[in-house]
Amino acid sequence: MVTKTESTLVSPTSTGSFDEEMQQRNMQQLFEKKRRRRESHNAVERRRRDNINDRINELATLLPDRDAVKANKGTILRKSVDHIRLLHDKLGEYQQRIQELESLMSMYRVRGDPGNSSQQQQQPSSSHPLSMSAAAAAAAAAAAAAATGDMPPPHSHIGPPHDPFRRDE
């Protein structure tokens, strides 16, 4: 015999509402998971945009045109590319000029004193202009300037250069 209280506890409708409640909890959990994932993605994307904007602003400060800081991103990027190309072209010109000066130096070495050739053979030769001695660099610069007509040929005095501030005692 079934009493009235037992029938309300074991009602077929109560199992259906329990399933609906579980399904609703699952839906809420899925919704929360999607929301957290979306927020995480938005934060990552915001950091990426901020990083790009910071680098573009930094590029603007490095440009010779000081008005570039006020320009839009596309203009800043275009001017940066133009400036890098200009610097690249100048670098090529300077490297070509270094090669010309080195060839002039080697030409003057061949024409130099026969007694000097033994000294030059003892010194290590390098193709880089900064690896030579200061005296050799000064001589090369003077010779190159004289050859190109930039300045008159150097005087042919021997000895250290005259120092107007030195007192001879």
Side-chain angles (χ1 to χ4, degrees):
M1 178 167 210
V2 179
T3 63
K4 195 174 191 182
T5 57
E6 290 178 0
S7 67
T8 56
L9 292 176
V10 190
S11 153
T13 58
S14 67
T15 57
S17 66
F18 178 74
D19 288 341
E20 288 176 11
E21 188 177 319
M22 289 301 289
Q23 188 177 10
Q24 189 175 6
R25 281 187 194 164
N26 286 339
M27 293 296 285
Q28 285 176 345
Q29 288 175 346
L30 285 175
F31 178 75
E32 284 295 315
K33 186 176 179 180
K34 285 182 181 182
R35 185 186 60 77
R36 283 192 307 269
R37 187 182 302 157
R38 184 176 58 245
E39 286 175 357
S40 174
H41 172 75
N42 288 347
V44 168
E45 184 64 21
R46 189 178 315 110
R47 283 193 301 270
R48 186 188 70 81
R49 280 193 318 265
D50 290 345
N51 187 29
I52 290 170
N53 289 334
D54 290 346
R55 297 299 82 78
I56 290 174
N57 290 333
E58 186 176 356
L59 275 174
T61 62
L62 295 174
L63 290 173
D65 180 14
R66 292 296 165 199
D67 292 333
V69 175
K70 301 174 188 172
N72 65 35
K73 295 174 196 176
T75 303
I76 292 169
L77 290 173
R78 182 179 44 80
K79 287 183 177 188
S80 297
V81 168
D82 292 345
H83 187 64
I84 290 170
R85 284 188 177 139
L86 173 74
L87 293 175
H88 184 67
D89 292 344
K90 282 184 178 181
L91 177 65
E93 291 171 8
Y94 292 145
Q95 288 173 337
Q96 182 180 1
R97 182 68 177 146
I98 287 170
Q99 288 177 348
E100 292 170 1
L101 292 174
E102 285 175 346
S103 67
L104 277 173
M105 284 176 46
S106 66
M107 184 174 67
Y108 280 107
R109 283 183 191 143
V110 170
R111 291 184 187 174
D113 286 340
N116 236 1
S117 64
S118 65
Q119 278 184 337
Q120 288 180 355
Q121 287 175 355
Q122 293 172 355
Q123 294 177 354
S125 64
S126 174
S127 62
H128 197 279
L130 295 178
S131 64
M132 66 179 93
S133 69
T148 58
D150 290 343
M151 62 181 267
H155 299 294
S156 61
H157 74 283
I158 298 177
H162 174 67
D163 185 2
F165 299 106
R166 181 176 173 204
R167 286 195 215 172
D168 291 330
E169 296 182 44

